[in-house]
Each structure stands twice: as structure tokens, then as C-alpha cells.
Amino acid sequence: MAQTDDALVVNTLVRQALTSTQEVMGENGLNAVLRASGLERFIGNFPPDDLQPAIPSAQYSQFNQAIEDFYGRGGRGILRRIGKASFQYAVREQAALLGIAGVALKLLPEKQRIKFIWNSVASALKKTNPQIEAWVEDKDGRIAYIEATCSICHGRKSSGPICELYVGSLGEAVLWATGKSYKITETHCLAKGDPFCRFEVGEPSAEG
Ligand SMILES: [Zn+2]
């Protein structure tokens, strides 16, 4: 198991998550979720935009759980929307960290573009915390993003995959890189006992 109990999520990523959650759920919704996950100290007080450790991964995963609980059956869709908003935030506020400032992808084939942006996401995460193990796989014509240290499901147990926020972020990244909505499927999840969380690119949706 690659995860350690003291794995940490840094300030800039918590700030990204809180900003995106507030965008999707509103301030009252965010505050309810912060209370439910023991993170009251962030109410009206987002962490600064730096790479200092903010919270343990276990608490970040509780925050995700609290959003799911708050909305019940609709929770998964909300988490995906927060994931999308998180990637948009990263493009807007963290382009340097993401390594996409001034990048032009237009001349590359779509597959290369997807690999470029997912590699960028993985290396940005590793820049925030060298303990993070994330990589992109291109095997038998299938591109997948894999993280063995996922903080979204850290310490959680489930019979199926639960990292909807990641699905949303990775899908939005692909949309940014290709201009198309591709179906992203979480095929493996630490929460159901797999050695990592794995997200695979499917086909672009009909409407593009
Ligand atoms: Zn996960």
C-alpha cells in the first residue's frame, strides 16, 4: 500500500477544492460540508496559495465523503462538477504549476494532447508533494491516468469506485486539450481494494 497515514494535501490544492466546491454548492453548502468533515477552521478562511501542508489526506477524503452524504443520490454528479471546476481553477490560477502557460497543442494528434495534459496534471501533483505516485499509461491503445496515493478515497471503503471528483477533473482536462467531451471511467479504486485508482479514456461523446 503506497498510502501512508501522514500523507498530506497542500494549501494550494485545498484552496482549489474549497473554491470549486463553493462555486458549485454555494457558500452555505460549502460551510455545511466543512462542518461535517471537521474542517470548520476553513469557513470564511481559505488556506493561502502555497505549497505548505494543509490537511492530512484522510481528512480530504472525509470532505469528499461529506459532499456525497450531503446530496445523497445526486452526490456523484455534484462531485464531478466540483472536479470540473477544480481543473478550470487550475488553468486560471495555477497555469505555471500545471506547466501549460503558453502551450499550443493544436498540431498534435488528440491522443498526444490527452497524454500531455494528464502528464501535466500528474507532474503538478508531484510538485506539490513528492510522495505522490501518479502516472499516465498508454497500453494496447488505451490511455489511463493512475494514482496510487489518491487522497479523494484515502482510507475509505466501497464496493465500487468513488473518485468522482477525479473523474470530473480528468474529463475537464481532456476537454481543455481536445475540445471534446470524452467518457472517463474509473476502472480501479483504492477504496475497493485495488492497488491504485485508474481512470481510462473512452470515446468522445456524440455532441463533441
Ligand atoms: Zn481514489
Side-chain angles (χ1 to χ4, degrees):
M1 195 80 159
Q3 288 175 318
T4 54
D5 286 336
D6 57 355
L8 290 163
V9 182
V10 299
N11 280 335
T12 193
L13 292 181
V14 173
R15 186 179 180 84
Q16 179 198 80
L18 300 188
T19 307
S20 310
T21 304
Q22 182 166 297
E23 245 173 76
V24 173
M25 296 181 65
E27 197 179 340
N28 291 338
L30 170 66
N31 293 349
V33 165
L34 286 172
R35 270 185 222 105
S37 47
L39 294 169
E40 296 88 341
R41 67 181 184 279
F42 292 124
I43 294 177
N45 177 40
F46 288 9
D49 196 2
D50 64 34
L51 299 181
Q52 293 303 307
I55 55 172
S57 290
Q59 212 164 15
Y60 186 76
S61 78
Q62 278 166 30
F63 176 75
N64 272 264
Q65 169 91 60
I67 295 170
E68 217 177 299
D69 294 346
F70 190 81
Y71 285 102
R73 287 168 60 90
R76 303 225 149 179
I78 294 289
L79 283 165
R80 265 196 303 271
R81 281 173 55 196
I82 294 171
K84 283 171 184 290
S86 298
F87 182 79
Q88 290 162 6
Y89 176 91
V91 168
R92 212 164 60 228
E93 309 285 341
Q94 301 163 323
L97 180 67
L98 204 49
I100 56 162
V103 166
L105 298 176
K106 284 206 164 58
L107 297 176
L108 294 177
E110 249 166 48
K111 218 177 142 175
Q112 295 303 116
R113 297 193 216 175
I114 294 171
K115 281 163 71 176
F116 169 83
I117 194 62
W118 278 9
N119 274 313
S120 303
V121 170
S123 50
L125 277 176
K126 284 187 272 193
K127 274 185 244 166
T128 72
N129 180 349
Q131 286 185 331
I132 287 177
E133 293 175 47
W135 65 96
V136 177
E137 177 186 88
D138 182 0
K139 221 158 79 183
D140 307 323
R142 292 184 183 281
I143 304 171
Y145 180 102
I146 300 166
E147 181 171 353
T149 48
C150 178
S151 57
I152 293 173
C153 62
H154 185 107
R156 292 170 66 189
K157 294 265 174 293
S158 169
S159 56
I162 55 172
C163 304
E164 297 294 329
L165 196 145
Y166 231 143
V167 170
S169 287
L170 292 171
E172 191 66 15
V174 169
L175 177 64
W176 178 87
T178 66
K180 289 183 191 165
S181 296
Y182 278 76
K183 185 168 172 48
I184 311 295
T185 306
E186 186 174 13
T187 60
H188 296 65
C189 185
L190 288 161
K192 65 184 186 74
D194 295 321
F196 40 67
C197 298
R198 179 180 179 277
F199 307 86
E200 193 175 288
V201 190
E203 298 299 317
S205 66
E207 71 270 26

